[in-house]
Structure formats: C-alpha cells, structure tokens
Amino acid sequence: MNVKSGAQPTTGLAPRPPDLERLRHQLVEFMAARGLRSTEQRRLIVDAFFEQTEHVSVDELLERVKAKDPRIGYATVYRTLKMLVESGIVHEHRFGDGYTRYELTDDDAHHDHLICLECGKITEFEEPQIEALQDRIAARYGFHVESHKHELYGKCSECVARQA
Amino acid sequence: MNVKSGAQPTTGLAPRPPDLERLRHQLVEFMAARGLRSTEQRRLIVDAFFEQTEHVSVDELLERVKAKDPRIGYATVYRTLKMLVESGIVHEHRFGDGYTRYELTDDDAHHDHLICLECGKITEFEEPQIEALQDRIAARYGFHVESHKHELYGKCSECVARQA
DNA sequence: CTGCGTGCAAAGCATTTGCACCTAT
DNA sequence: ATAGGTGCAAATGCTTTGCACGCAG
C-alpha cells in the first residue's frame, strides 16, 4: 500500500495522463515559496489548463478565460503563463506557426510531437530509445542536457488519406 | 567503381560538408525557372553564405554584407533569405533566442543541434539511428514526415567546465 | 523599355512593460 | 496598510510591406 516508491533515476516508462493533483500541489508550493498571491484571474487561468486541452495558445486561453470574466486581458494571461512556466507545471512550445503554445507538464511520460502542416493537428509520441540515444550523444560532446525538442513536421494520416 | 548506386530508401551515412557546387547550381536553376534576377545584392548575400559560417542570424548577415556595400538594408536581406529558403538551398531555424537563423542545406548529412543556453554555442550532431527510429514512429501513426527538428538545450562542455 | 528588385520608413504581430488603480494577505 | 496583481495602452523587437526609384534582362 505504499504509494510513494523510491525516486527512480530517469527512465519512467509508465504512460498515463499528467498527475493533476501533484501539479496543483507543486504550483501551490511554488507560489507559497515566492509569496505569490492567489487571485481570481490566476485561478481561472489555471483551471482552464486543468480542464483538458493540450497545446493551448495564448489566444485560445484568453478566450476561454474571458468567457468567465470578460475583464481579463492579454497582459494577465501572459504574466500568469510566465509564472506557470517558472513553477514548472507548464511547458512552453514554439512550433512554427508564430504562436507560442502551452501544455501541462507530464514528468512521467515525456513526449515529443508530430505536427501536421496541413491541418495543424499535433500528435504526441514517446520513444524511450530515442531519449537514450540522445543522452549518449550529449555524453559524446560533454554536453549537459536540460531539455530537448523533437518534432516531426509533415502530413498526418488523415490528411494523407484525404488527398490520396 | 560505380559511384552512382541505386537510390537508397533513406539512410545516407556519408558525413561531409555541404556540396557547395551543387547548391549554387540549384539556386541558379531555381532563379532561372522563376525568372528571378541576379543582382549585386543577391550575389553579396549568397556569397556571404557560401563563405562559411553556420547558423547565421539576419543581423550577422546584414553586418557582413554591409561591410561590402553599406547601402544594403534589412528588407533586402530578409527578402533574399526568403528566396533562398524557397529555393531549397538554405534552411531556416528558430532556436529559442528570438532570432531566426539560417544555414546552407546539407542533404547528404542531415544534422541536428545541441544549443548551449549559457554561451549560445550551437553544435551539430548526426545520429542515423535516431532518424531510423523517427521513421518507425511516423509509420506507426501513418504520418508522412517532411522535415524534423531535434534540438537538445543545456550547457556545452566548455560552460560546464568553466563553472565546475 | 518593363517590370522586378531595392531602400527607406511605416506597418504588423506576438509579447512585454509602465503606470495608476485594486485587492489578497 | 502595503506590496503584489491587474488592465489598459504604449512600447518592444523581429519581420513584412507600400511606394518611388533604379537597374537587369
């Protein structure tokens, strides 16, 4: 019944959705540690994140949040996102479309992306072997990896099919 | 002695510098096909590219070109770069520092990047095994890959050493 | 000659910031 | 009460564009 197992060095292989409870907790701790305040706006924005959608853009997020409180503006969303990224519970992505996108961190299953250039769909994938090779390459150059980005651009199966 | 072997499906293993002559030829053909003109400015910019440096930013390029003709401005550099990218002889990269960087295409040896967050140094690496795994993943999702981006962010060996 | 290419300055965009007001602590 | 948070609008910083002139074909 001991849920908290010892910390594993690196390779977590269990694929499962982000641990929402842990992330919420992590955020609370982060804010407490920095003396940051819990405001209505921040709560709305954070909730919007926990509500589902992956790879949200600032505009999408603002729209969603504005539905609940029309007074919220870009500045607050940008500032809150910055905070969320610093807290570590949200990750930032720049695919090539000019918009920065955000998604909840998922420590257990690090994933990379397939980006469809036709319809814009973003699919996630995981490949531990690639991660392992990466580490080997980094070691070869004496490089200390902090994060990485691995994206495949092209046509998703649907778009390939539609045009066949 | 038969150099031109049948087209191999994917994996080219010969690492060597970009084939400058072929690239120049490719550009000439591209421009001819579109009826684009060969101007002093374009020549200067293209030459700057072929002179060496990898991962040039627009500012670096403009500076270099201005040394030879101070009248050249950003607009021309941006427009020429766009043309070079369209011709296929130059690739565009956006690492996270806000600047778009450009480098000569190297079909023979596709490489990816190690980006040092301390000093900004960009190192290239090649790993055919990763490419192979990528293809397998894409196949798994029925995804048709057109290009990819694989970047490792962290500290280069020099920066690690300096801080040790 | 004709129209593509160039330079300049102005416009565009996503994102950031200054400032006065507001509010969680 | 008081420092951090918010909104608005103005400012940034990279990139693109409109327009009049210049030059390649």
Side-chain angles (χ1 to χ4, degrees), chain B residues 2-155:
Chain B
N2 191 351
V3 180
K4 195 168 70 182
S5 59
Q8 295 283 317
T10 329
T11 325
L13 286 178
R16 47 177 174 176
D19 184 337
L20 303 183
E21 228 176 283
R22 180 161 51 75
L23 292 177
R24 275 211 131 95
H25 181 70
Q26 190 176 325
L27 177 58
V28 170
E29 296 235 314
F30 176 83
M31 293 181 72
R34 296 218 188 174
L36 299 175
R37 294 172 185 173
S38 172
T39 66
E40 178 64 13
Q41 293 88 329
R42 285 179 175 171
R43 256 172 272 131
L44 283 174
I45 294 172
V46 171
D47 285 349
F49 254 107
F50 281 86
E51 251 165 36
Q52 43 171 296
T53 326
E54 288 164 322
H55 313 115
V56 212
S57 69
V58 172
D59 293 82
E60 286 162 3
L61 200 52
L62 178 62
E63 200 181 340
R64 271 209 254 166
V65 170
K66 263 196 164 152
K68 303 201 172 177
D69 181 347
R71 301 182 41 73
I72 297 183
Y74 277 100
T76 301
V77 174
Y78 274 110
R79 285 190 275 232
T80 303
L81 283 173
K82 199 173 199 172
M83 177 193 80
L84 292 176
V85 169
E86 279 177 40
S87 81
I89 77 161
V90 162
H91 274 191
E92 210 179 72
H93 291 289
R94 307 193 194 221
F95 306 119
D97 64 354
Y99 296 89
T100 302
R101 289 166 185 282
Y102 301 84
E103 73 176 328
L104 278 179
T105 298
D106 185 349
D107 287 330
D108 294 318
H110 176 86
H111 55 259
D112 292 295
H113 302 92
L114 298 166
I115 296 123
C116 179
L117 297 172
E118 296 282 326
C119 68
K121 190 172 80 170
I122 298 169
T123 310
E124 304 181 340
F125 71 86
E126 257 181 87
E127 183 47 76
Q129 287 186 63
I130 288 184
E131 313 265 322
L133 280 168
Q134 269 183 188
D135 292 344
R136 203 181 305 163
I137 287 162
R140 188 186 305 160
Y141 289 91
F143 192 90
H144 173 73
V145 178
E146 285 170 22
S147 69
H148 77 262
K149 181 184 288 190
H150 194 173
E151 294 152 12
L152 309 188
Y153 295 86
K155 278 203 195 87

Side-chain angles (χ1 to χ4, degrees), chain A residues 60-154:
Chain A
E60 286 162 2
L61 200 51
L62 179 61
E63 200 179 339
R64 270 209 256 166
V65 170
K66 262 196 165 152
K68 303 200 174 182
D69 181 347
R71 302 182 42 72
I72 296 183
Y74 277 101
T76 301
V77 174
Y78 274 111
R79 285 190 276 231
T80 302
L81 283 172
K82 199 173 201 172
M83 177 192 80
L84 292 176
V85 169
E86 280 177 40
S87 82
I89 78 161
V90 161
H91 275 193
E92 210 179 73
H93 292 289
R94 305 190 196 219
F95 305 121
D97 64 354
Y99 296 91
T100 301
R101 290 166 185 281
Y102 300 84
E103 72 176 329
L104 278 180
T105 298
D106 186 348
D107 287 330
D108 295 318
H110 177 87
H111 55 259
D112 292 295
H113 302 93
L114 298 166
I115 296 125
C116 179
L117 297 171
E118 296 282 325
C119 68
K121 190 173 79 169
I122 297 169
T123 310
E124 305 181 340
F125 71 86
E126 257 181 87
E127 184 47 76
Q129 287 185 64
I130 289 184
E131 313 265 322
L133 281 168
Q134 268 182 188
D135 293 345
R136 203 180 306 162
I137 287 161
R140 188 186 304 158
Y141 290 90
F143 192 89
H144 172 73
V145 177
E146 285 171 21
S147 69
H148 78 263
K149 181 185 288 191
H150 193 173
E151 293 153 13
L152 309 188
Y153 296 85

